[in-house]
Amino acid sequence: MIPRRLFSARSRAALEGMGRWTPWAPAVPGPGRLLPLHAAPRLLSVGCARRAKHQEPPGKKLLSEKKLKRHFVDHRRVLVRGGRGGDGASCFHSEPRKEFGGPDGGDGGDGGHVVLKVDQQVKSLSSVLSWYQGCDGEDGGRKNCFGRKGALLYVRVPVGTLVKEGSEVLADLSHPGDEYIAALGGAGGKGNRFFLANDNRAPVTCTPGQPGQERVLLLELKTVAHAGMVGFPNAGKSSLLRAISNARPAVASYPFTTLKPHVGVVHYEDHQQVAVADIPGIVRGAHRNRGLGLAFLRHIERCPFLLFVVDLSAPEPWVQLDDLKAELEKYEQGLAQRPHAVVANKVDLPPARARLPELRARLGQEPIALSAATGENLEELLQRLKELHDHHVAAELECGRRPLRW
């Protein structure tokens, strides 16, 4: 029932018009006559469809760096348990006019394994659960029917996952498609047909299925990239990665803007790709777990060559390079001695260009002076990056190892 105050004169006229029938006649204007100004009424569905067609789709809201860090997990403790084997059956063949059919109990199926498999689409361990149970095998049946084996349970992990049990390293999954059996499934039980012998023609013995293997594993992610950018906070590493690749890490004018590693891919004309990792800022005493500390120093271990990024606008930028090498050497011996290039960022600032000759004299080598903000001299960095990558590939092939392909 419609309230009286909402029932207007216009609504009443519309309702009266709905009940009146008029014969259809084509509205063809005669000569010298104009069409009426009001348009014919349109269907509601057509109007909604046209309105939806011109409506802008809602844009995806970009997550902040802190929210991105919540989704980035680089270590996980996982309990894995293989599937239980199926039980064997104890039964005898039953058929008309066969008094002694004999045992025909089948064996149970084996339990399924839990397998860790590398997937390039997975970027962190956030999707890995804390507990996995393999599929159980089916029990054996009559007429010597064996039980079905349990299906394999695959757990997708990112490239660069290290599998540990206690302090022992079990596997290093550093290439796409690598697999590791984390927990074995239990063996299926034997049916009474298995125990048939000359001295025992009617065995009734059958064995149950075995439980699956149970282990507590520690998964640790170490970012896999060709080059790792190392520098103090607010040195311009994220801006530099945005300038040379399509990666979009957060950029701001305060330290510790980057809270998780970012990997950007640099594309060259010969279809060659070089992955560059932006490691969060390192402070003095990082080897003693100060600042972000050991949580991100381990991401540098897998980088075959490094890019030391120093802030040329800061006083005495050569001291930054010495402190960075000292921190890396204290964390892991020989880490600072890897092939590297020195990048002097923020050369577009007036005081920075004046410190460049002194930095060149103290280092004894030619640093790559550039500006990530204006794009000045980025070509020299890209050329040097390709040279370091070519030397790494040649050294890996000479040693008989497979180089990393991104």
Side-chain angles (χ1 to χ4, degrees):
M1 183 175 180
I2 304 177
R4 182 171 298 176
R5 63 178 182 270
L6 298 180
F7 193 73
S8 61
R10 182 178 300 177
S11 302
R12 186 180 296 109
L15 290 176
E16 291 177 357
M18 291 175 60
R20 188 183 306 146
W21 178 85
T22 56
W24 178 85
V28 180
R33 298 182 61 182
L34 298 177
L35 287 172
L37 294 178
H38 61 277
R42 294 184 303 172
L43 295 177
L44 181 61
S45 59
V46 176
C48 294
R50 292 183 179 178
R51 192 178 302 113
K53 181 179 179 181
H54 296 286
Q55 188 177 3
E56 292 293 334
K60 185 177 180 181
K61 186 177 180 181
L62 298 177
L63 296 177
S64 63
E65 186 70 18
K66 289 187 177 180
K67 291 185 179 180
L68 284 174
K69 184 178 181 294
R70 296 175 190 171
H71 301 288
F72 181 81
V73 179
D74 56 359
H75 60 279
R76 180 77 82 183
R77 183 179 178 271
V78 184
L79 171 65
V80 289
R81 185 184 295 120
R84 184 181 179 275
D87 298 335
S90 178
C91 54
F92 291 87
H93 183 71
S94 177
E95 187 179 345
R97 295 180 296 276
K98 270 194 177 182
E99 185 177 359
F100 303 103
D104 66 348
D107 300 343
D110 297 335
H113 307 325
V114 180
V115 183
L116 303 178
K117 186 174 182 179
V118 174
D119 188 352
Q120 280 188 303
Q121 302 300 323
V122 181
K123 301 303 179 184
S124 75
L125 298 174
S126 59
S127 60
V128 178
L129 305 179
S130 59
W131 177 73
Y132 286 97
Q133 169 69 48
C135 301
D136 297 338
E138 293 184 358
D139 298 338
R142 304 178 64 88
K143 299 182 181 180
N144 295 321
C145 292
F146 285 26
R148 179 181 296 176
K149 294 183 179 181
L152 297 177
L153 177 61
Y154 286 97
V155 181
R156 300 189 306 161
V157 295
V159 181
T161 302
L162 207 63
V163 184
K164 294 183 179 180
E165 187 174 17
S167 58
E168 180 185 1
V169 178
L170 302 178
D172 186 3
L173 307 177
S174 56
H175 292 88
D178 287 352
E179 295 183 0
Y180 174 72
I181 301 178
L184 295 171
K190 300 298 182 181
N192 62 340
R193 173 74 181 181
F194 177 80
F195 298 98
L196 179 64
N198 291 332
D199 56 348
N200 186 6
R201 305 304 300 173
V204 295
T205 305
C206 63
T207 59
Q210 300 297 319
Q213 184 183 15
E214 182 175 338
R215 306 168 76 179
V216 178
L217 302 178
L218 180 64
L219 304 183
E220 182 179 319
L221 174 62
K222 295 183 178 180
T223 302
V224 176
H226 295 111
M229 287 197 297
V230 186
F232 280 96
N234 211 21
K237 301 182 298 297
S238 299
S239 301
L240 186 58
L241 186 64
R242 292 170 67 102
I244 63 176
S245 70
N246 289 330
R248 289 297 176 263
V251 174
S253 59
Y254 54 86
F256 294 109
T257 309
T258 303
L259 299 177
K260 76 180 190 70
H262 292 268
V263 179
V265 180
V266 182
H267 300 269
Y268 291 93
E269 293 181 353
D270 54 353
H271 304 286
Q272 194 175 21
Q273 297 179 350
V274 179
V276 182
D278 174 20
I279 309 299
I282 298 176
V283 299
R284 295 177 179 87
H287 68 282
R288 296 192 297 269
N289 209 18
R290 289 188 58 190
L292 297 178
L294 303 177
F296 294 105
L297 273 175
R298 63 169 172 263
H299 292 283
I300 312 175
E301 297 180 21
R302 296 188 183 269
C303 300
F305 49 92
L306 306 175
L307 296 177
F308 290 103
V309 182
V310 296
D311 186 0
L312 200 58
S313 64
E316 299 181 351
W318 48 88
V319 179
Q320 299 181 20
L321 182 61
D322 296 337
D323 293 339
L324 290 174
K325 289 185 177 182
E327 291 296 331
L328 296 184
E329 196 67 26
K330 291 176 182 177
Y331 173 73
E332 181 182 343
Q333 188 174 3
L335 187 59
Q337 305 302 324
R338 294 184 180 181
H340 63 272
V342 180
V343 179
N345 195 12
K346 304 182 182 180
V347 74
D348 55 315
L349 300 179
R353 198 174 295 273
R355 298 189 181 97
L356 185 58
E358 188 175 359
L359 175 64
R360 187 182 296 111
R362 288 180 176 270
L363 294 182
Q365 60 179 352
E366 185 67 28
I368 304 174
L370 52 83
S371 173
T374 62
E376 180 183 352
N377 205 23
L378 288 179
E379 294 80 5
E380 184 179 353
L381 173 62
L382 296 177
Q383 183 64 30
R384 178 59 176 158
L385 196 62
K386 191 175 186 305
E387 293 176 0
L388 291 172
H389 179 261
D390 293 341
H391 289 320
H392 165 66
V393 171
E396 290 292 304
L397 294 177
E398 186 178 354
C399 297
R401 293 190 294 264
R402 182 176 55 175
L404 173 65
R405 294 182 62 89
W406 198 261

